[in-house]
Amino acid sequence: MTELFRRKTQEEVEQSILNVQKGRFKIILGAVSGSGKTYHLLLEGNDLKKKGIDVVVGCMSRSAGPKVQNQANQLEQMPVIEWKKGEEEQCDLDIESILERNPEVVLVDHLAHRNRPEATYPTRLDEVKMLINKQISIIATINIYELEDIYKLANEFTSMNFTNDECVPKHTLSLADDIKLLDVTPEVILKRLEEETMDQHIKSSLFQKDNLAVLRELSLRVLAGEVNEHLDEYRQKYGLLGASGATERILVSAQYYWNGSLLIRRGDQIAKRLGGELNVVCFRNAGHRLSEEKETFKRSIVQLVEKLGGTFEEKVLKKDDVADEIVEYAIQNNTTRIVMGQSKRSRWEEFWHGSILHKILRATRNIDLFIVADRAEKEGERVLPARQRKIDDNPYRRPSDQEVENRINHIKRGTLKVYIGAAPGVGKTYTMLREANELRQKGIDVVIGLLETHGRRETLEQVGVLETIPRKQIPYKGVTLEEMDTKAILMRNPEVVLIDELAHTNVPGSIRTKRYEDVEKVLKAGISVISTLNIQHIESLNDSVKQITGIRVRETVPDRVLGMADEIELIDISPKALRQRMKEGNIYRADKIEQSLSHFFKTGNLIALREMALREVADDVDERLESWEHTKALRGPWRTEEVICVCIHLGSNSELLIRRGFRIAYRLKADWYVVYVQDHPLNEQEEKAKEHVKKMTKRLGGHFHTSAVSDRRKVVGVLQQYFHEKQATQIIIGHSAKSRMEEIWRGSIVQKLLKETRHLDVLVVAHLYQ
């Protein structure tokens, strides 16, 4: 918090004054042409005009459709300078006319445009910067492949031939005060192509489902990276230490030794599958010169990290204890998981000198520790600790009766589309209603099954003439409660039904407990559903959301429900814009505004939740892309078979371990098991806790197993036997809550497991988030 009281330098004061005198700069980012950027640019312009802001159109796409043109006709349009580039017609901004007109806001399409050779400014971006310095605000559009550092990636993953002829520098996004991502699914864009509502000139081989998915994922990940930088700046400014919880940051602590590359590759696998960042650190003793062999290992490690896109740092030991150095470095770099190799010390050496692993475990209550299996000791070879997956891809194999039935049910089932947002008020319900009205205009029979407007005027206006199914009246303890009438929806049998707030818990007396269960019933009847969900309601993210906001969200949706969705679309909005909507009374009642702004809607919370939403949707896109064509998935194919065993007791962190186990298993496409070894008779409370975690495991798609022993000393042996039976490759356990003295006196199951499972990967999950 000292940053708040530090006196600004003269340079900082001057820069702050310059910023006050500048116009604002907002970028609308899209994956491809045809994603609706121009339409939303004009839509925002008209919204500002209604609020009394002086807005003009500087330039826009010349071949806009009627929907876009209708928005443009409501705004003043500045003259443009027309010219030809070969046979292609071009238009530049008329800067002199704009300066003379001096509006508050100028709408600028196609930010990456290059001007005619004789123009004063070579690029449109240069003109935009000049206008901003003249206190004119700019809202502009750009495609992801028009960023200088992205077009090569786009070429690599789409096999297209984008060039840097019309690109903006890679730092352009960082110049913007606000970035809004238009997340549009490949299905929607292909539908627009089919209906010929997109400009004809942009139709090309780029518009294939997998290409569109790649560019969409790039957009989500690039913006997530930008948001992450803002989050780091925010947390640094306010003196917040440690990881935010929004993303995984993997730290590999390696040595200049033969297994260094193995640890780094394993760390890279984890980082990619969890959508995280890879950081590698090697510690060396001060004054010790590296041997020729170690210099060779160092060169290979540096080259490998560079190839994998991670960061490498060599640190000189300042303390006698390397464990303290690793922990300190991990905290400074907001690490969520440390990756290390197995200890080479014997049991007696560890007793006398201590184990680095155990010291790190005691010192890192908020950082997970991933210990890579020592396969060489057991199998005599240096391989990554996973087995090759056996894939049955024979097209001539006759499907079983169950497989045939599953395929038929899937064909009959309705389509599920889910709009996801980082927080309430981002515009999910508004967008859902707008889409429903567009479907109705195309002759689709669409009705409202359940709508929660929360009194928002803009949302209510979008209802229009849509038919609403009346809610069911349910008597409960002398009062009448209302809930969605699933039976009435099934009897009405529309083509599409809107069902808001997917994570909602139904009122007591309802046939089904959760709204998503009603949605499953509706889908099974062949009715398509469009629904909404906030990122904090996804069950496997529950612990991360608690870490970010300090609030334990009680209403959650199992991740499998999102897996059922045919389309997932993100509604993106910046934290600043969302807080402004809150202040204007567009989200909650006046009496709830101040409390919300100072609690859940704090800027830091919103930045972190936004990043989480961006990464979650990006991971979902990658999963779908992988199922279409393995070679084009940005995170790379996972062609190994993992079996994960989660070891729990009935303590406070059991749910955390199960959610973590599921999330890792889901990302690795692994089978996973939760195992509890009972070493004493259970009381009533413990029986309830056991039944709760069993149901939770089943709900998340895992397998629950219980064993019983008469002596606590036999627990590790029973676990080892179970790991062997299931051919486990990775086990997940929780940090020991015992003190060092308790561990010496009574022993530690965690430490015993680490000794007896050196051939397996072991993830030790942080005990509790502070």
Side-chain angles (χ1 to χ4, degrees):
M1 298 298 287
T2 54
E3 184 69 23
L4 292 173
F5 300 99
R6 183 180 63 81
R7 178 178 289 141
K8 288 188 172 75
T9 65
Q10 184 61 32
E11 291 78 7
E12 288 173 327
V13 172
E14 290 173 0
Q15 185 60 50
S16 297
I17 293 171
L18 283 173
N19 290 338
V20 169
Q21 295 174 335
K22 285 183 176 181
R24 287 185 59 77
F25 183 26
K26 179 172 182 175
I27 291 176
I28 298 177
L29 175 68
V32 292
S33 298
S35 56
K37 298 182 303 301
T38 306
Y39 175 75
H40 279 81
L41 175 76
L42 297 167
L43 203 63
E44 289 211 20
N46 277 304
D47 286 343
L48 290 173
K49 181 183 175 182
K50 289 175 185 175
K51 295 175 182 176
I53 305 296
D54 183 16
V55 184
V56 301
V57 178
C59 62
M60 57 174 275
S61 174
R62 300 178 63 84
S63 52
K67 186 179 172 183
V68 174
Q69 198 62 56
N70 180 53
Q71 289 291 330
N73 291 340
Q74 301 173 53
L75 293 164
E76 179 184 346
Q77 299 186 45
M78 299 300 297
V80 294
I81 299 171
E82 297 181 340
W83 60 287
K84 279 197 170 185
K85 185 179 181 181
E87 294 299 314
E88 193 175 341
E89 292 186 356
Q90 303 280 325
C91 67
D92 293 354
L93 290 172
D94 189 334
I95 292 296
E96 290 185 9
S97 295
I98 293 173
L99 290 173
E100 185 178 347
R101 171 66 175 73
N102 193 30
E104 289 180 275
V105 180
V106 180
L107 308 181
V108 179
D109 214 1
H110 194 192
L111 185 63
H113 171 75
R114 291 188 184 274
N115 293 330
R116 63 199 185 285
E118 67 274 16
T120 306
Y121 297 92
T123 70
R124 186 161 290 169
L125 178 61
D126 292 321
E127 293 173 327
V128 162
K129 290 178 182 176
M130 184 273 291
L131 291 172
I132 290 170
N133 286 329
K134 297 287 185 181
Q135 288 187 287
I136 296 174
S137 295
I138 303 292
I139 305 178
T141 67
I142 193 169
N143 291 314
I144 190 65
Y145 52 81
E146 292 170 336
L147 293 172
E148 195 173 55
D149 55 338
I150 300 299
Y151 84 93
K152 291 180 181 177
L153 278 175
N155 284 340
E156 178 184 348
F157 287 105
T158 64
S159 302
M160 294 298 295
N161 189 27
F162 297 112
T163 67
N164 64 351
D165 291 345
E166 289 203 345
C167 278
V168 295
K170 59 185 179 181
H171 67 272
T172 301
L173 292 184
S174 64
L175 300 175
D177 300 286
D178 191 1
I179 305 168
K180 179 179 180 178
L181 173 67
L182 276 189
D183 181 40
V184 183
T185 65
E187 291 83 2
V188 169
I189 292 180
L190 293 173
K191 189 71 174 175
R192 290 174 185 172
L193 274 173
E194 185 183 311
E195 296 171 351
E196 298 189 347
T197 58
M198 280 169 49
D199 300 342
Q200 297 297 308
H201 76 281
I202 64 173
K203 295 184 180 182
S204 70
S205 57
L206 171 63
F207 289 85
Q208 297 172 8
K209 192 175 182 182
D210 51 357
N211 286 342
L212 295 173
V214 165
L215 294 173
R216 182 189 180 198
E217 185 180 352
L218 278 172
S219 304
L220 289 158
R221 293 201 185 282
V222 166
L223 185 53
E226 288 287 322
V227 173
N228 184 259
E229 289 182 14
H230 294 159
L231 182 58
D232 283 348
E233 290 169 8
Y234 177 90
R235 292 176 65 81
Q236 186 176 0
K237 179 179 178 180
Y238 291 100
L240 301 172
L241 298 175
S244 68
T247 186
E248 292 276 357
R249 286 184 170 170
I250 310 303
L251 174 65
V252 178
S253 176
Q255 295 177 299
Y256 300 135
Y257 189 58
W258 70 264
N259 70 341
S261 296
L262 184 146
L263 296 178
I264 293 166
R265 288 189 182 278
R266 190 58 166 162
D268 179 62
Q269 283 184 327
I270 294 167
K272 280 190 168 61
R273 298 314 301 181
L274 300 183
E277 302 168 12
L278 176 67
N279 186 16
V280 178
V281 63
C282 291
F283 288 95
R284 57 176 294 184
N285 292 317
H288 287 206
R289 185 177 177 181
L290 294 179
S291 65
E292 186 176 335
E293 183 185 38
K294 288 191 174 182
E295 283 286 1
T296 303
F297 281 128
K298 178 180 176 179
R299 284 193 297 271
S300 66
I301 284 174
V302 171
Q303 289 172 2
L304 177 60
V305 175
E306 185 178 336
K307 178 183 175 183
L308 296 174
T311 61
F312 172 82
E313 192 170 359
E314 182 182 79
K315 299 285 289 183
V316 175
L317 286 170
K318 295 178 291 184
K319 303 177 181 178
D320 294 334
D321 197 330
V322 68
D324 291 340
E325 294 270 11
I326 292 172
V327 171
E328 184 180 317
Y329 185 86
I331 293 171
Q332 288 173 352
N333 288 273
N334 297 328
T335 298
T336 59
R337 184 174 304 191
I338 300 172
V339 177
M340 298 184 66
Q342 288 279 359
S343 172
K344 298 297 179 184
R345 289 178 175 174
S346 67
R347 185 177 178 180
W348 283 108
E349 284 177 319
E350 288 184 355
F351 180 81
W352 288 110
H353 303 289
S355 161
I356 291 175
L357 293 179
H358 297 158
K359 287 179 181 178
I360 291 174
L361 284 173
R362 287 196 296 275
T364 56
R365 287 299 178 192
N366 289 325
I367 303 174
D368 296 345
L369 182 61
F370 188 93
I371 302 154
V372 177
D374 186 358
R375 281 282 174 113
E377 182 177 317
K378 185 173 182 179
E379 299 181 5
E381 52 182 296
R382 303 171 185 178
V383 295
L384 286 176
R387 301 184 299 277
Q388 290 298 310
R389 182 183 294 277
K390 297 174 183 177
I391 301 175
D392 183 7
D393 55 359
N394 188 342
Y396 297 102
R397 183 183 66 82
R398 179 179 291 137
S400 67
D401 292 343
Q402 185 61 52
E403 287 172 328
V404 171
E405 185 180 347
N406 290 342
R407 290 178 191 177
I408 292 172
N409 288 337
H410 186 75
I411 292 167
K412 290 180 177 179
R413 172 183 170 274
T415 297
L416 174 60
K417 179 171 185 175
V418 179
Y419 284 108
I420 283 188
V426 299
K428 302 179 301 299
T429 304
Y430 179 92
T431 308
M432 177 177 72
L433 288 166
R434 192 172 67 199
E435 181 179 4
N437 278 295
E438 290 174 359
L439 290 172
R440 187 177 180 277
Q441 289 171 9
K442 294 172 184 175
I444 303 296
D445 181 18
V446 54
V447 302
I448 297 173
L450 194 290
L451 186 67
E452 299 286 3
T453 64
H454 299 288
R456 295 167 192 160
R457 180 179 53 80
E458 294 175 344
T459 304
L460 279 166
E461 288 173 355
Q462 283 295 313
V463 173
V465 295
L466 290 171
E467 177 188 345
T468 300
I469 304 291
R471 300 192 186 197
K472 186 177 182 180
Q473 307 292 311
I474 302 176
Y476 179 71
K477 291 186 177 180
V479 296
T480 301
L481 304 175
E482 291 186 335
E483 193 53 84
M484 184 174 77
D485 195 336
T486 304
K487 185 177 180 181
I489 293 171
L490 296 174
M491 289 180 65
R492 171 62 176 77
N493 193 31
E495 291 178 270
V496 180
V497 61
L498 311 185
I499 300 177
D500 214 358
E501 297 191 358
L502 190 59
H504 171 79
T505 300
N506 292 335
V507 300
S510 300
I511 297 173
R512 284 164 286 276
T513 307
K514 301 288 290 187
R515 186 166 289 165
Y516 70 78
E517 295 172 332
D518 290 313
V519 166
E520 289 175 320
K521 180 82 173 175
V522 172
L523 289 169
K524 193 173 181 181
I527 301 170
S528 294
V529 176
I530 304 177
S531 190
T532 63
L533 183 71
N534 287 322
I535 193 69
Q536 68 264 26
H537 294 295
I538 297 176
E539 185 153 17
S540 68
L541 296 176
N542 196 264
D543 301 302
S544 296
V545 172
K546 171 70 166 61
Q547 183 183 356
I548 291 168
T549 66
I551 298 168
R552 175 69 71 185
V553 176
R554 298 300 172 190
E555 290 190 322
T556 59
V557 169
D559 295 57
R560 66 171 178 81
V561 176
L562 278 187
M564 287 166 29
D566 301 274
E567 288 184 43
I568 294 175
E569 196 167 312
L570 176 73
I571 304 300
D572 183 47
I573 186 172
S574 69
K576 190 170 185 178
L578 186 57
R579 283 174 60 85
Q580 185 60 36
R581 290 199 69 209
M582 173 70 79
K583 290 173 185 176
E584 292 171 355
N586 293 326
I587 300 176
Y588 292 145
R589 298 190 317 268
D591 59 334
K592 292 181 65 178
I593 292 175
E594 285 304 319
Q595 182 186 9
S596 298
L597 287 172
S598 59
H599 288 81
F600 188 85
F601 281 77
K602 287 192 292 190
T603 300
N605 288 353
L606 295 178
I607 297 172
L609 290 169
R610 186 189 188 194
E611 181 182 352
M612 186 182 289
L614 286 161
R615 294 190 186 278
E616 187 68 16
V617 176
D619 287 348
D620 177 80
V621 174
D622 194 275
E623 295 290 338
R624 294 168 193 263
L625 183 59
E626 228 180 294
S627 69
W628 298 334
E629 189 172 344
H630 285 281
T631 56
K632 289 191 177 181
L634 266 66
R635 291 185 296 167
W638 188 270
R639 301 188 185 279
T640 53
E641 184 178 12
E642 291 270 3
V643 176
I644 295 172
C645 287
V646 183
C647 307
I648 67 165
H649 53 76
L650 301 178
S652 58
N653 68 337
S654 295
E655 290 186 24
L656 181 145
L657 289 171
I658 292 170
R659 278 191 286 265
R660 187 64 60 85
F662 159 76
R663 193 153 184 82
I664 293 167
Y666 175 74
R667 293 294 181 239
L668 303 186
K669 302 175 178 60
D671 292 329
W672 66 289
Y673 303 84
V674 175
V675 56
Y676 166 63
V677 180
Q678 181 182 325
D679 61 356
H680 65 279
L682 302 183
N683 58 36
E684 185 179 351
Q685 186 177 351
E686 288 172 326
E687 284 288 359
K688 287 181 179 179
K690 176 183 168 184
E691 191 60 28
H692 174 72
V693 293
K694 182 178 180 179
K695 287 180 179 178
M696 182 181 182
T697 302
K698 186 177 180 181
R699 188 168 68 244
L700 289 171
H703 309 275
F704 189 84
H705 175 79
T706 303
S707 293
V709 293
S710 56
D711 187 340
R712 187 174 181 276
R713 289 173 294 183
K714 296 179 180 179
V715 169
V716 172
V718 170
L719 288 173
Q720 280 184 279
Q721 184 179 348
Y722 188 76
F723 300 155
H724 179 72
E725 288 175 4
K726 296 300 178 184
Q727 295 185 291
T729 58
Q730 182 178 152
I731 62 173
I732 298 175
I733 53 180
H735 267 268
S736 173
K738 294 177 181 176
S739 67
R740 175 61 175 155
M741 288 306 298
E742 285 178 315
E743 288 179 351
I744 293 173
W745 182 253
R746 297 187 60 196
S748 164
I749 290 178
V750 172
Q751 292 191 14
K752 288 177 182 176
L753 272 176
L754 289 175
K755 288 189 183 77
E756 302 299 332
T757 56
R758 297 172 67 92
H759 61 292
L760 299 175
D761 286 344
V762 181
L763 174 64
V764 186
V765 175
H767 179 57
L768 278 175
Y769 291 122
Q770 301 299 322

